[in-house]
Amino acid sequence: MKQYSVVKISILGVCLYPLLNSQMTQLMSNRNQTMVTEFLFSVFPHLHDGGLLFFIPLLLIYGFIITGNLMIFIVIQVDIALHTPMYYFISVLSFLEIWYTTTTIPKMLSSLVSEQKTISLVGCLMQMYFFHSLGITEGCVLTAMAVDRYIAICNPLRYPTIMTPKLCICLTAGSCLCGFLLVLPEIAWIATLPFCGSNQIHQIFCDFSPVLSLACTDTSLVVIVDAIHAVEILASFLVIALSYIRIIMVILGMPSAEGRQKAFSTCAAHLAVFLLFFGSVAVMYLRFSATYSMFWDTAIAVAFVILAPFLNPIIYSLRNKDMKDAIGRLFHCEKRVGRAGR
C-alpha cells in the first residue's frame, strides 16, 4: 500500500512538472523584465521631421473648440430667451466638449513639439478614464436631448409640465453619474495589470486597446467589457434613432409647410451632432473583428477626437438662428456698454 502511494505521487509529480516548470519560467522572465512606468507615443513626428506642421493647425483647432464652446455656454447662460430645456442641454454639451478635448489635445500638442513623447502610467490611466467618462456622459446628454425634442414635437401641450428645470437637472446629473461610474471598474482593472514589455503606444492618445496590447498577461477579459460598452452605445443609439424617426413622422404629418420647416430646422442641428458623434463612435469602437492599418487607425482617431468636437460649435452657432441672434445681442450689448464707459 505504501509502495502504491509512492508510485502515485511520483506519477503526479511527473505530470505536473512541465506545467510548474513553465509557470516558474514565466514568473522568472517577468521578474527579469523591467516594469513599464511610462508609455511612448510612437505616431507623433519629431519637431524637425514636420511636427510643427501638425502643431500649428491642431493648436488653432483646439483654440476654436474652446472659444466656440465657451461662447455658446456663456451666451446661453446670459440670454434669458435661451433659458429653455433644449438650450440648457446644448450648454451642458458645450461644457463637456471643453473638458473632453482638454483630456487629449494638450498632450498631443506637447508631444508634437517635445522630444519626450511620453506619458506616465498614472497619467495614461487618468487620460483614459476622463476621456471615456466624458464621452459616455455626452452620449447620455444627447439621448436626453433626443427625448426632449420628442416630447416638444410629439406632445407639445404637455411639454412645459414634463420637461421641468428639475427634470433637466436630474437628467444631467444622471448622465454624469452614468459616465463617471461605468468606466471606473475597467480602469481599476487595467491599473492592476503588469506592463513589462514594449512601452510604445501606436495611437495619438491612451485608449483601451493600444494600452491593453502592451500588458504582459492575459487580457481576454476585455472582450466582456467591450461587449458591455457596445451594448451601452447601441442602446443610446437605438433610443435616439427611434425618437428621431417618430419626430420625422410627426413633422411630415403637419399640415402647415411653415410648421414643418420650423420643426425640421429645430431638430436639424441635434440630428447632425447625433450622426457625427455616434458615427465616429461606431467606426472607432464597434469594429468587432475588423482591423485597420496604423494610418487608418490614426485617421479614425483624429476624426473622433478632433474633427467631431471642431464641428459641434459650428453646427450649434452658425447653423442656429436663435444662437446667432443671441450672440449678436451679446456683442451689441457689450459695444453699447463700452461706448457708455467712454
Side-chain angles (χ1 to χ4, degrees), residues 241-279:
L242 290 173
S243 297
Y244 279 111
I245 289 169
R246 177 61 182 157
I247 287 167
I248 291 168
M249 288 173 64
V250 170
I251 291 172
L252 291 175
M254 289 179 177
S256 168
E258 186 181 347
R260 285 198 300 271
Q261 185 179 359
K262 186 178 179 181
F264 267 125
S265 64
T266 303
C267 296
H270 307 294
L271 195 57
V273 172
F274 156 65
L275 293 172
L276 188 65
F277 180 83
F278 281 95

Side-chain angles (χ1 to χ4, degrees), residues 32-196:
N32 290 333
Q33 287 178 318
T34 306
M35 297 302 290
V36 172
T37 57
E38 63 180 16
F39 296 108
L40 173 70
F41 293 111
S42 61
V43 297
F44 292 107
H46 291 283
L47 192 61
H48 56 271
D49 291 332
L52 195 62
L53 295 174
F54 294 99
F55 174 82
I56 294 171
L58 184 58
L59 181 63
L60 293 173
I61 289 170
Y62 180 59
F64 175 80
I65 291 170
I66 298 299
T67 307
N69 282 298
L70 193 61
M71 182 175 65
I72 290 170
F73 180 78
I74 291 170
V75 166
I76 292 172
Q77 299 302 314
V78 170
D79 199 302
I80 299 173
L82 300 181
H83 288 183
T84 62
M86 181 180 79
Y87 287 105
Y88 167 79
F89 286 123
I90 290 175
S91 71
V92 171
L93 198 66
S94 295
F95 182 77
L96 290 170
E97 282 285 297
I98 293 170
W99 297 107
Y100 176 73
T101 52
T102 302
T103 59
T104 54
I105 295 181
K107 187 60 187 177
M108 293 180 203
L109 290 168
S110 67
S111 296
L112 285 168
V113 294
S114 173
E115 289 299 321
Q116 303 231 344
K117 306 176 189 301
T118 57
I119 186 171
S120 67
L121 176 59
V122 175
C124 189
L125 292 172
M126 293 290 285
Q127 187 182 70
M128 277 195 294
Y129 174 68
F130 283 106
F131 177 78
H132 285 282
S133 294
L134 290 163
I136 292 172
T137 305
E138 279 194 29
C140 293
V141 171
L142 284 171
T143 307
M145 289 172 72
V147 173
D148 170 70
R149 290 298 83 207
Y150 173 81
I151 298 169
I153 292 172
C154 300
N155 202 352
L157 296 177
R158 294 188 61 197
Y159 179 74
T161 58
I162 296 172
M163 292 304 297
T164 60
K166 184 180 178 180
L167 180 61
C168 293
I169 292 169
C170 287
L171 287 171
T172 305
S175 299
C176 294
L177 200 64
C178 182
F180 283 87
L181 287 181
L182 281 175
V183 188
L184 200 56
E186 189 169 4
I187 296 296
W189 170 62
I190 295 172
T192 64
L193 298 178
F195 296 93
C196 52

Side-chain angles (χ1 to χ4, degrees), residues 142 233 237 271-287 292 300 303-304 308:
L142 284 171
I233 294 166
F237 177 84
L271 195 57
V273 172
F274 156 65
L275 293 172
L276 188 65
F277 180 83
F278 281 95
S280 57
V281 166
V283 174
M284 187 77 179
Y285 295 109
L286 299 182
R287 61 181 71 180
Y292 307 128
I300 291 166
F304 180 60

